[in-house]
Amino acid sequence: MMEKAFVSTQAASMEAFVTFKHSLGRKYATSKYYLHEFDVYCSEHESEGVSLKEIAKNWITLRKNECPNTQRVRVAPIREFGKYLQSSGHSDGFLIPNKICRQQIRTMPHFFTHDEIIRFFNVCDTLDPRKENRVRHLVLPMYYRLLYCCGVRTCEARLLLRKNVNLPAGYIDIIHSKGLKDRRVFLPEDLGSLYRKYDTVVNDIYPDRPYFFPSTANRCYECSVISQNFRKVWKAAGFSIKARAYDFRHHFAFAALNRWIETDRDVNSLLPYLTRCMGHASLESTFYYLHLVPEFFSTFSEKTKALEGLLPEVDYDGED
């Protein structure tokens, strides 16, 4: 695939900056994506008398319907680029203050009880088909089961392509997820059995569907629709406490760690596998889930003394 070229008057500097990042051993894929976005914005707003600093100031402003976390991710490479220009002696060098992006308040996840899980899926399994969505009653129970059983991100499940699901071998491939990383997730045997039956039924309705969890023949569910349906099922199951579909991911991590400790498994050796399974960039990202359960974290810390140098302070900016 041909590399996308930079187009603004800063193109040469941006190319040199990316080359510099690569020389440090960084893939720099996600950051380069946002650098390209900024580059296009620069090319559209460059004019005599307007400084690069002013253009950058306008570009980093929090957008409508943008969450602070997303803003921080796209601003970070632009901040680094400005510092690079300064350190290289470019007159266009600029500095974006660290506090330009406000702190995001993390929603405390809900950790499901065994009874809640049973009641939720009992309701899920009794959903009715709809005229405008012929496979809703088939797709949603299987979609939410993937979140619960494998801890994948909600977007990873929504966008999962059928070609990336290998049911005979019992695994799915998550392609270009957060940080543009790929990983293979193996399915529990009982879930794989359910998916083989599910795929056969849905395939009879949408034989050439691109998505494993379709909403129509050629489309997948929108994020907002997944959340709406979760809330409807959750409420129908008789619960008033707040919970989200994304909480299945938190629950997956906590349940796995809890099982290891209860059965006296070697947590130190197993943690890297959980980190890989969840698509985290580092162990620190996985540790974040333990900070959310204070009464459990002390036990966990005792079991992982060999890794205590890696344990971060409580940080709500960790990777999801």
Side-chain angles (χ1 to χ4, degrees), residues 183-200:
R183 72 185 189 280
R184 178 162 293 176
V185 177
F186 287 88
L187 305 171
E189 188 174 337
D190 54 350
L191 185 63
S193 179
L194 283 176
Y195 278 170
R196 285 189 286 274
K197 297 174 183 176
Y198 156 84
D199 189 57
T200 299

Side-chain angles (χ1 to χ4, degrees), residues 160-313:
L160 181 63
L161 296 177
R162 193 178 180 217
K163 68 179 182 180
N164 293 328
V165 178
N166 190 324
L167 293 178
Y171 65 79
I172 63 175
D173 286 328
I174 306 294
I175 307 298
H176 290 174
S177 188
K178 190 167 184 176
L180 301 183
K181 291 188 282 289
D182 303 338
R183 72 185 189 280
R184 178 162 293 176
V185 177
F186 287 88
L187 305 171
E189 188 174 337
D190 54 350
L191 185 63
S193 179
L194 283 176
Y195 278 170
R196 285 189 286 274
K197 297 174 183 176
Y198 156 84
D199 189 57
T200 299
V201 175
V202 177
N203 189 53
D204 287 339
I205 302 171
Y206 296 139
D208 298 314
R209 75 187 198 275
Y211 294 101
F212 191 65
F213 299 115
S215 59
T216 62
N218 297 303
R219 298 183 63 181
C220 67
Y221 277 91
E222 297 292 332
C223 180
S224 59
V225 179
I226 287 294
S227 297
Q228 290 166 11
N229 277 286
F230 176 87
R231 288 193 294 269
K232 288 177 182 178
V233 174
W234 184 249
K235 185 177 180 180
F239 305 120
S240 57
I241 188 171
K242 288 186 178 181
R244 308 166 301 161
Y246 200 92
D247 291 341
F248 281 130
R249 180 166 165 83
H250 289 267
H251 185 88
F252 173 81
F254 173 70
L257 292 163
N258 206 30
R259 282 195 304 272
W260 296 341
I261 288 178
E262 286 180 349
T263 56
D264 203 29
R265 302 287 298 278
D266 185 353
V267 177
N268 294 328
S269 63
L270 291 173
L271 263 176
Y273 292 99
L274 179 61
T275 295
R276 175 62 180 167
C277 179
M278 297 186 72
H280 285 153
S282 66
L283 286 174
E284 289 191 1
S285 298
T286 309
F287 288 144
Y288 162 71
Y289 290 85
L290 282 305
H291 288 311
L292 301 176
V293 192
E295 66 274 16
F296 175 66
F297 187 66
S298 59
T299 303
F300 172 76
S301 297
E302 186 65 28
K303 294 280 185 177
T304 55
K305 281 187 174 179
L307 301 175
E308 61 186 5
L310 293 177
L311 289 174
E313 296 297 321

Side-chain angles (χ1 to χ4, degrees), residues 58-166:
N58 293 332
W59 189 82
I60 65 176
T61 302
L62 186 69
R63 299 168 182 172
K64 185 179 180 180
N65 298 324
E66 181 181 46
C67 73
N69 243 16
T70 302
Q71 182 195 25
R72 278 195 295 274
V73 171
R74 68 177 177 85
V75 166
I78 312 310
R79 178 186 290 115
E80 287 188 328
F81 177 61
K83 288 181 179 178
Y84 170 81
L85 291 177
Q86 281 192 333
S87 64
S88 302
H90 287 264
S91 58
D92 285 329
F94 58 91
L95 183 63
I96 298 175
N98 286 325
K99 294 183 178 181
I100 199 73
C101 303
R102 65 182 175 84
Q103 183 85 1
Q104 182 186 23
I105 299 175
R106 291 270 186 170
T107 302
M108 279 297 293
H110 176 73
F111 293 94
F112 303 95
T113 65
H114 182 66
D115 177 63
E116 287 172 340
I117 293 296
I118 292 175
R119 288 167 61 182
F120 176 85
F121 283 107
N122 280 343
V123 173
C124 242
D125 291 337
T126 59
L127 292 173
D128 296 319
R130 291 181 175 176
K131 185 177 180 180
E132 70 278 10
N133 189 336
R134 297 165 57 197
V135 294
R136 172 178 178 266
H137 63 300
L138 302 170
V139 170
L140 290 179
M142 295 299 106
Y143 170 88
Y144 293 124
R145 277 181 169 85
L146 184 61
L147 304 186
Y148 171 66
C149 294
C150 297
V152 300
R153 299 179 177 94
T154 52
C155 60
E156 292 171 344
R158 282 193 311 105
L159 301 172
L160 181 63
L161 296 177
R162 193 178 180 217
K163 68 179 182 180
N164 293 328
V165 178
N166 190 324

Side-chain angles (χ1 to χ4, degrees), residues 9 41-52 54-55:
T9 57
Y41 185 85
C42 286
S43 69
E44 294 172 349
H45 294 81
E46 287 170 336
S47 63
E48 193 172 342
V50 180
S51 67
L52 182 61
E54 189 64 29
I55 294 174

